[in-house]
Amino acid sequence: MRTDALLSRFGYCSRKDAPAWIKAGRVVQDGSAITAARQNADPARTLVDGAPVPFPNGLYAAFHKPLGCTCSHKEEGALIYDLLPPEWLRRNPPVNSVGRLDKETSGLLLLTDDGAFEHAMTSPRRHVPKVYELTTSAPIPEDAVVLFAAGTLLLNGETTPCKPAELIITAPCAARLTLHEGRYHQVRRMLAAAGAPVLTLQRVQIGPLRLADLNLQPGEWCAFNPAIFSQQA
């Protein structure tokens, strides 16, 4: 790609400001300074201010979302993007979450600037399994296991039943739930329909990615290879 496009794409500066960066010798490819905005540059072989271009082939990160922050770019209050490197939001396209977790839900969240990957991961046809651990304010009825697995649960205000889901009750007021779709506040609505409102909720796995294996504290992130989801499919 053109060097001015590279600087804009990866959040360094606008294309208008790129010639000044280039004139100052801040962009180097294969040991030689790039001298013109129109000159082609390979992000994987380019240094800007002496450092490699981060995530030259697209940004894919697993993030441990803490409680109390939202996944929106626009809402007021604490946002997940306040906890991420600011240059990520200057990338073009910017980094977005793949789906969302609500303010009172913690756990595994995927982040990317790859729109095709984001679309594929949220497509209803992919059925990427998502695993949640939860506690409730009332004992979870044993018949909820059969109800959720049957794929017949109709949530209030909807006309299509939930897809079959796997509920494992681990204590009278605790469980693991695996979903293969993503509806608005689905876990909370399903447990409420079963008579066991959710108290705490954490997403612990998306497809082959397990939060426990990533060793991330709340607010931390790490890169992952998106190919692992293709291999699973």
Side-chain angles (χ1 to χ4, degrees), residues 174-193:
R176 288 173 63 92
L177 178 63
T178 302
L179 299 181
H180 300 272
E181 59 180 337
R183 306 190 188 195
Y184 178 73
H185 287 178
Q186 184 173 354
V187 176
R188 298 181 187 277
R189 294 166 68 200
M190 290 176 71
L191 270 296

Side-chain angles (χ1 to χ4, degrees), residues 6 14 53 73 80 129 134 152 157 160:
L6 181 150
S14 67
V53 174
H73 283 284
I80 61 169
L134 58 98
T152 58
T160 304

Side-chain angles (χ1 to χ4, degrees), residues 7 13 19 25-26 31 68 73 89 105 120 123 140 148 153 160 165 184 187 191 196 211 214 228:
L7 291 172
C13 65
R26 300 175 70 175
H73 283 284
L89 297 185
T105 302
S123 171
I140 304 167
F148 289 5
L153 176 62
T160 304
Y184 178 73
V187 176
L191 270 296
L211 188 61
L214 299 174
I228 64 174

Side-chain angles (χ1 to χ4, degrees), residues 6-26:
L6 181 150
L7 291 172
S8 173
R9 160 72 179 92
F10 294 101
Y12 292 103
C13 65
S14 67
R15 293 187 72 159
K16 179 181 177 181
D17 292 336
W21 282 56
I22 295 166
K23 184 177 181 180
R26 300 175 70 175

